[in-house]
Amino acid sequence: MMNTFKHDNLATDVYASEAMRSAAPVEKIPHKGTSPQVAYRMVKDETYAETRPELNLATFVATYMDEEATRLMNEAIAINYIDETEYPRVAVMCGRCINILANLWNTPEEREWKTGALGIGSSEACMLGGVAAWLRWRARRKAAGKPYDKPNLVMSAAYQVVWEKFCQLWQIELRTVPLTPDHLTLDPEAAVAMCDENTICVVPICGVTWTGLDDDVEALDKALTKYHKASGNDIPIHVDAASGGFILPFLHPEKKWDFRLDRVLSISTSGHKYGLVYPGLGWVIWKDKKYLPEEMSFSVNYLGASITQVGLNFSRPAAQILGQYYNFIRYGFEGYKAVQQASMEVAEYCHREIGKIPCFRNYAEKIDNPLFVWSLCGEYEKTAKWTLYDLQDKLKQSGWMVPAYTMPKNIDHRIVMRVVVRQGFSHDMADMLLRDIRNAVTEFEALRYPTTSRLKFEEREIQCGKVFTH
């Protein structure tokens, strides 16, 4: 291979350089380096054909921030949050963010600095909330001289995969309550029926990934209190509010789902979803310091001072903390409310319009968060020559990423599509999406023969004893 530095010079065009005229490295690091301009173009060009972030309606994570916020975060890209001795003001800002969230969620804690922790995302925050519940349960069982080798956790079958990971890694039995046509969210009574003395907590979800709906946390709290009086088993609640934690306080402040409820001892959320920060940020808050087991705090002194940290990860970016604190200052309560309300209005508009298309049926009559799912109508689906997977592929040709998938266990025969509306997705963009959906449906309805995905769907359904006619 030719020496890039020997044959290229400052006047060499990027695309005439030796590196650009060779295949990109796949298995081994190149023997020689290249200029930063060439390295940039090689990486940038490889991602050129991917969906623009603002057209990715599959993702929950923020794809838009102010120019000032982006600049602020870029300027902090080299800062490691864990180096609190070198960057003490970042640690202070983190504490302020925890205070703000705790008060948004109506904490009763009166300490100057509320009890919470930072996460790389809501997945780490969920893990920390789950670990705390497990350790508290184990300590109670040990103190009572009872076995502590068979813990379990109860939640809806529409859980996010982090909870499966948590239960697998910590060897906790995951007990799931199925969704049904009568119970589109967690059934509190069915959840309580799965509880016993080994249940570390029940986890309701505000902003279910699969559907966008909220579990009824207040009803669950009442059901668990009634169960406690009857059985003596005192079971707490951890709320997975990855999406809803930044929606409910602003759009439904009257709704009780947070620390106003007796059994809610911890709440997790995602700062990089409706917290409006670029990816890499999660938060978990506890009702009081006594609910955070001491063994979850780890101290080191090899960074120049004694540093105590709660988290699964040690090093972590500081930029997202600055971005979150910037947003709190920039928007304030009213600004956040306006942003979330705008997203809700666009989502409600899309929900209504898609519901008007004859071949579609919305999963729920109303939406709780700026996202929703829909499916093909039952009767239409029996004779259609296409599936929602075909619609996903068709929309992708226009740059849209609108995912199609099957629902959780017990209703996994249903194929749905989901739209997540975030800041930056305007009413005009919604009209563009709706137009592309309607055009695609018109094209599909003119098909003479079933699509490949339709044939696969029929094959699966025939195995279940169903008959189709075209």
Side-chain angles (χ1 to χ4, degrees), residues 11-317:
T12 303
D13 182 80
V14 168
Y15 289 97
S17 65
E18 294 291 344
M20 292 294 282
R21 292 157 64 185
S22 304
V26 176
E27 296 181 351
K28 296 181 180 180
I29 187 171
H31 182 63
K32 297 289 186 178
T34 186
S35 70
Q37 293 83 4
V38 170
Y40 171 84
R41 287 306 335 167
M42 289 186 75
V43 176
K44 182 69 176 179
D45 289 352
E46 189 156 342
T47 63
Y48 179 77
E50 294 186 353
T51 295
R52 288 165 48 196
E54 60 268 32
L55 300 184
N56 182 0
L57 305 184
T59 184
F60 286 75
V61 302
T63 55
Y64 168 85
M65 290 187 78
D66 291 341
E67 290 183 10
E68 292 79 4
T70 302
R71 185 170 74 245
L72 183 68
M73 292 177 67
N74 285 338
E75 291 169 352
I77 199 168
I79 297 177
N80 186 356
Y81 163 74
I82 205 63
D83 294 334
E84 294 184 10
T85 307
E86 291 79 3
Y87 313 112
R89 300 312 301 174
V90 175
V92 170
M93 279 187 263
C94 182
R96 290 173 180 173
C97 288
I98 288 172
N99 280 355
I100 289 170
L101 282 170
N103 286 312
L104 270 176
W105 298 338
N106 296 289
T107 179
E109 191 173 25
E110 296 181 354
R111 298 169 65 249
E112 179 183 2
W113 296 102
K114 313 307 181 188
T115 304
L118 171 71
I120 291 295
S122 58
S123 291
E124 184 181 3
C126 288
M127 289 271 191
L128 293 173
V131 169
W134 170 58
L135 290 175
R136 292 196 307 266
W137 171 84
R138 191 177 69 170
R140 290 196 306 271
R141 299 287 290 181
K142 281 185 176 182
K146 296 181 178 180
Y148 52 90
D149 61 335
K150 295 182 180 179
N152 68 71
L153 178 149
V154 177
M155 67 185 310
S156 159
Y159 58 82
Q160 209 270 353
V161 70
V162 64
W163 290 107
E164 187 175 0
K165 290 181 181 179
F166 167 72
C167 290
Q168 179 65 33
L169 293 174
W170 273 269
Q171 292 299 287
I172 295 169
E173 179 190 357
L174 178 59
R175 297 180 176 179
T176 58
V177 180
L179 298 183
T180 69
D182 295 327
H183 293 284
L184 301 182
T185 57
L186 178 69
D187 178 357
E189 298 300 329
V192 169
M194 290 187 175
C195 294
D196 56 31
E197 63 180 1
N198 291 317
T199 303
I200 66 171
C201 66
V202 180
V203 182
I205 306 170
C206 289
V208 175
T209 301
W210 300 77
T211 66
L213 300 178
D214 290 339
D215 291 337
D216 191 338
V217 187
E218 186 173 14
L220 176 64
D221 183 80
K222 291 178 179 177
L224 284 172
T225 296
K226 181 179 178 182
Y227 172 75
H228 178 213
K229 292 178 180 178
S231 68
N233 296 326
D234 191 3
I235 299 174
I237 292 173
H238 171 85
V239 182
D240 179 352
S243 296
F246 272 100
I247 297 295
L248 287 162
F250 301 106
L251 300 188
H252 302 288
E254 77 291 344
K255 188 172 182 178
K256 291 183 178 180
W257 65 278
D258 51 20
F259 293 127
R260 286 171 290 184
L261 300 175
D262 292 339
R263 300 193 169 274
V264 175
L265 301 189
S266 56
I267 302 172
S268 57
T269 195
S270 176
H272 64 221
K273 293 187 177 74
Y274 291 102
L276 311 181
V277 180
Y278 288 138
L281 185 63
W283 302 99
V284 57
I285 312 292
W286 285 272
K287 180 175 264 183
D288 191 275
K289 187 173 173 46
K290 64 184 178 183
Y291 298 119
L292 175 60
E294 291 184 5
E295 57 263 52
M296 288 180 65
S297 299
F298 295 86
S299 298
V300 298
N301 64 3
Y302 48 68
L303 292 176
S306 180
I307 294 174
T308 301
Q309 182 239 12
V310 175
L312 302 177
N313 205 60
F314 193 61
S315 292
R316 60 186 69 234

Side-chain angles (χ1 to χ4, degrees), residues 356-380:
K356 293 177 183 178
I357 299 175
C359 63
F360 294 145
R361 178 179 64 188
N362 284 324
Y363 179 75
E365 293 184 4
K366 66 178 184 66
I367 62 176
D368 294 330
N369 296 280
L371 61 139
F372 64 94
V373 300
W374 74 93
S375 62
L376 289 176
C377 293
E379 291 302 315
Y380 183 92

Side-chain angles (χ1 to χ4, degrees), residues 210 375-376 378 381-382 386-389 404-416 451-468 470:
W210 300 77
S375 62
L376 289 176
E381 191 173 40
K382 292 179 181 179
W386 57 284
T387 71
L388 292 180
Y389 293 112
Y405 53 90
T406 55
M407 290 292 278
K409 185 179 179 180
N410 202 52
I411 53 172
D412 53 357
H413 62 283
R414 293 185 66 176
I415 302 171
V416 300
T451 64
T452 301
S453 72
R454 173 64 190 189
L455 292 174
K456 289 181 179 179
F457 171 79
E458 289 185 6
E459 182 180 352
R460 187 187 71 173
E461 296 295 285
I462 288 172
Q463 291 175 354
C464 297
K466 296 184 179 180
V467 179
F468 296 89
H470 291 295

Side-chain angles (χ1 to χ4, degrees), residues 412-432:
D412 53 357
H413 62 283
R414 293 185 66 176
I415 302 171
V416 300
M417 292 193 86
R418 184 187 69 210
V419 161
V420 180
V421 176
R422 305 177 308 280
Q423 184 184 27
F425 186 73
S426 66
H427 196 288
D428 283 345
M429 292 177 70
D431 281 333
M432 292 166 55

